Amino acid sequence: MSNSELIEKSKRHLWLPFTQMKDYDRNPLIIESGQGVILKDTEGKSYYDGFSSVWLNVHGHQKKELNEAICSQLDKIAHSTLLGMTNQPATELAEQLVHITPDGLNRIFYSDSGAEAVEIALKMAFQYWRNQGVTGKNKFVTMKDGYHGDTIGAVSVGAVDIFHHVYQPLTFDSIPVPFPYVYRHPSGDPETCKNECLLELERTLDQHQDELAAVTVESMMQGAGGMRLMPHGYLAGVEALCKKYNVLLILDEVATGFGRTGKMFACEHEDVTPDIMIIGKGITGGYLPIAATLSTEQIYESFYDDYTNMKTLFHGHSYTGNQLGCAVALANLDLFKKEQVITRVQENSKYLYRELECFNKLEHVGDIRQLGFMVGIELVKNKQTKEPFPFEKRVGYDVSLKMRQLGMLTRPVGDTIVFMPPLSSKRQELREMIKIMEASIQQITEEKYAQLETIKK
């Protein structure tokens, strides 16, 4: 089949996620293969995978050990249910996950995606209190511009207006509190911003503690809300307040887990242990859809009873604990140890920090936010006043198209350019990706600014 025929089929039959299909029809792209940090399309053009195929690739594409793990498992069985029974890879992986996550998270509930894992966490937290005989604690606190996935429960504890407002009639109410967005805070001071946001959270917990099941928060950095980094001490402050007011803490580590921030899990930066933790994306090295919700033994024990007492967690998915996914996840964790991935990310993060300084000289780069291999570059119309570009100009989107033209793929969040390369990226590859971003940002932002000034005149 020719490439043009394949593109026409995609335009005729597909409906892509988070995509205005009118945009796709103008700029179609079909990926055919990948090797290392490079993706190749059906026309033979190569691109750097600058966003780890939506934040999840760890060791690069076509990693021999991961391929072999899947093939080896296929010789035994592809899938059997986890309803009322288990399998070998799921059991072995559960043990390893308990060892690498914060102490006290001893129970693993598998699912297929981060959003599903969030749904499970919400049901766990809600039913935990019910099983304890507490019926009033049925609401959740969420962070402004927080994002936890796209199923209805996950949307209910999300607060990204552009994604979620149309679905509000379908959702349950949660209580939003400010996220410490230092760049946009009036003071611009991390400590002031942190303290004000913690104070507002405490007021909310104090006022609503009798009706709150849990606080939901992305660990250390918001992703889809704009790659916003917490000031030091904020996450630890959230944990302390949850304990003080007897509210569960649910940490979303879907995007930040598995080495992405320079720790195995981002909460380790502040020695935080949640009551419930959600993991996904990098768990299989970016190969197969596995996610998990982890809980403390205390939460697990509240569900453990005679069936007739109806304390069972009634939740499950057809492919929960799939053997192929769990097998490749085990191989992924072996590679973390064998290739010292965390140490390498920590070392290369310092190099990345220095290389990112080139963006400071660009007239329309307002802020650079980095934690490990998780980077957001916020574009603004006016660097001094922090005035954003008009929404309809779609500056971030046009920058990403320019980057594609120059040989790199990423997906912006609004006018914040996301840079989340595979953790296996070498320094030369990082440098080349940064050069593409720099050239693209400079050209597009200057063109957009010139257009706006022309209109003004």
Side-chain angles (χ1 to χ4, degrees):
M1 185 183 299
S2 70
N3 183 62
S4 60
E5 289 175 322
L6 197 59
I7 287 174
E8 284 308 308
K9 284 181 184 291
S10 74
K11 291 180 177 181
R12 190 161 59 246
H13 298 302
L14 283 173
W15 193 344
L16 304 180
F18 270 100
T19 301
Q20 173 47 256
M21 292 304 291
K22 191 172 183 179
D23 289 340
Y24 176 79
D25 286 349
R26 292 192 191 106
N27 297 284
L29 177 65
I30 302 178
I31 298 300
E32 181 181 64
S33 61
Q35 186 72 46
V37 300
I38 299 295
L39 297 168
K40 187 174 288 188
D41 69 17
T42 48
E43 292 183 325
K45 183 175 180 179
S46 295
Y47 310 87
Y48 283 109
D49 189 353
F51 65 156
S52 296
S53 294
V54 190
W55 312 2
L56 49 77
N57 191 279
V58 175
H59 309 286
H61 301 276
Q62 291 298 321
K63 186 69 173 177
K64 176 174 174 288
E65 291 87 344
L66 301 185
N67 292 358
E68 290 175 349
I70 294 173
C71 292
S72 177
Q73 180 59 44
L74 268 175
D75 287 337
K76 300 173 185 176
I77 187 172
H79 178 71
S80 63
T81 183
L82 228 64
L83 274 68
M85 62 191 72
T86 186
N87 63 63
Q88 185 175 342
T91 304
E92 292 177 356
L93 178 60
E95 181 185 37
Q96 289 210 27
L97 292 175
V98 167
H99 285 310
I100 65 172
T101 52
D103 290 343
L105 296 172
N106 297 328
R107 294 289 172 170
I108 313 296
F109 197 110
Y110 290 114
S111 56
D112 307 338
S113 71
E116 292 170 7
V118 169
E119 296 283 339
I120 294 163
L122 299 177
K123 290 172 77 171
M124 278 183 181
F126 173 83
Q127 191 175 341
Y128 165 76
W129 294 111
R130 292 292 178 111
N131 288 354
Q132 298 282 82
V134 180
T135 57
K137 294 171 84 66
N138 53 24
K139 291 188 177 181
F140 296 85
V141 169
T142 188
M143 301 287 157
K144 189 178 186 304
D145 292 314
Y147 175 84
H148 300 284
D150 305 309
T151 52
I152 293 302
V155 169
S156 297
V157 293
V160 183
D161 288 343
I162 192 171
F163 300 155
H164 297 154
H165 76 278
V166 70
Y167 306 112
Q168 286 305 120
L170 302 177
T171 64
F172 59 78
D173 289 335
S174 59
I175 302 173
V177 295
F179 181 86
Y181 184 11
V182 177
Y183 178 65
R184 292 290 177 184
H185 190 268
S187 71
D189 176 62
E191 194 68 14
T192 301
C193 180
K194 177 192 77 174
N195 291 336
E196 286 188 10
C197 289
L198 285 175
L199 181 61
E200 185 60 33
L201 175 60
E202 180 158 24
R203 288 188 185 124
T204 300
L205 296 181
D206 183 47
Q207 181 180 353
H208 299 281
Q209 60 181 301
D210 292 338
E211 57 181 335
L212 290 177
V215 172
T216 59
V217 59
E218 292 160 88
S219 190
M220 293 304 295
M221 187 177 247
Q222 286 187 328
M227 305 300 287
R228 298 170 183 176
L229 180 62
M230 291 178 178
H232 178 72
Y234 178 77
L235 189 61
V238 172
E239 179 189 34
L241 289 174
C242 286
K243 289 179 179 176
K244 178 178 178 180
Y245 290 96
N246 195 28
V247 174
L248 299 180
L249 174 60
I250 299 174
L251 274 192
D252 185 340
E253 289 265 5
V254 172
T256 56
F258 295 97
R260 176 58 59 182
T261 68
K263 299 282 188 180
M264 184 59 86
F265 297 99
C267 59
E268 295 174 37
H269 287 282
E270 299 199 354
D271 296 320
V272 168
T273 299
D275 300 286
I276 299 173
M277 190 164 88
I278 303 148
I279 58 177
K281 289 194 184 291
I283 190 173
T284 64
Y287 265 57
L288 287 171
I290 291 283
T293 307
L294 289 72
S295 84
T296 62
E297 196 70 14
Q298 179 180 342
I299 291 175
Y300 170 81
E301 287 176 355
S302 75
F303 291 80
Y304 191 87
D305 205 340
D306 293 331
Y307 181 82
T308 52
N309 289 328
M310 301 303 287
K311 291 186 176 181
T312 303
L313 178 60
F314 290 108
H315 194 101
H317 298 276
S318 299
Y319 284 98
T320 294
N322 169 258
Q323 283 97 320
L324 294 177
C326 290
V328 75
L330 286 165
N332 172 45
L333 294 182
D334 285 344
L335 283 171
F336 265 89
K337 289 180 271 189
K338 177 183 173 184
E339 299 187 354
Q340 297 182 302
V341 171
I342 300 297
T343 300
R344 187 176 69 232
V345 170
Q346 289 172 350
E347 292 172 351
N348 284 339
S349 293
K350 296 173 185 175
Y351 170 81
L352 188 57
Y353 177 82
R354 295 191 297 270
E355 290 294 306
L356 289 169
E357 290 180 356
C358 70
F359 293 104
N360 285 319
K361 72 177 187 294
L362 297 184
E363 186 62 31
H364 299 288
V365 170
D367 196 26
I368 304 166
R369 301 183 282 272
Q370 179 203 3
L371 188 61
F373 268 41
M374 198 169 186
V375 179
I377 303 166
E378 185 168 343
L379 309 179
V380 292
K381 179 184 175 185
N382 189 304
K383 194 166 190 168
Q384 283 67 46
T385 65
K386 304 180 184 179
E387 179 190 358
F389 281 101
F391 168 79
E392 64 273 11
K393 289 299 178 182
R394 304 189 71 190
V395 176
Y397 175 72
D398 285 347
V399 168
S400 71
L401 290 181
K402 185 63 181 179
M403 289 166 61
R404 183 201 293 193
Q405 182 185 339
L406 297 179
M408 177 177 164
L409 299 179
T410 191
R411 187 175 173 87
V413 286
D415 283 346
T416 296
I417 303 302
V418 173
F419 184 43
M420 290 178 67
L423 304 189
S424 60
S425 301
K426 297 178 177 61
R427 293 190 175 187
Q428 179 60 32
E429 293 166 335
L430 293 171
R431 186 182 302 115
E432 291 174 5
M433 285 187 265
I434 286 172
K435 286 181 180 177
I436 290 173
M437 285 194 294
E438 181 184 14
S440 301
I441 290 171
Q442 183 168 15
Q443 179 177 331
I444 297 301
T445 56
E446 288 180 358
E447 287 178 359
K448 295 284 186 178
Y449 182 76
Q451 291 169 8
L452 290 168
E453 289 301 292
T454 301
I455 293 170
K456 188 189 298 183
K457 292 176 183 176

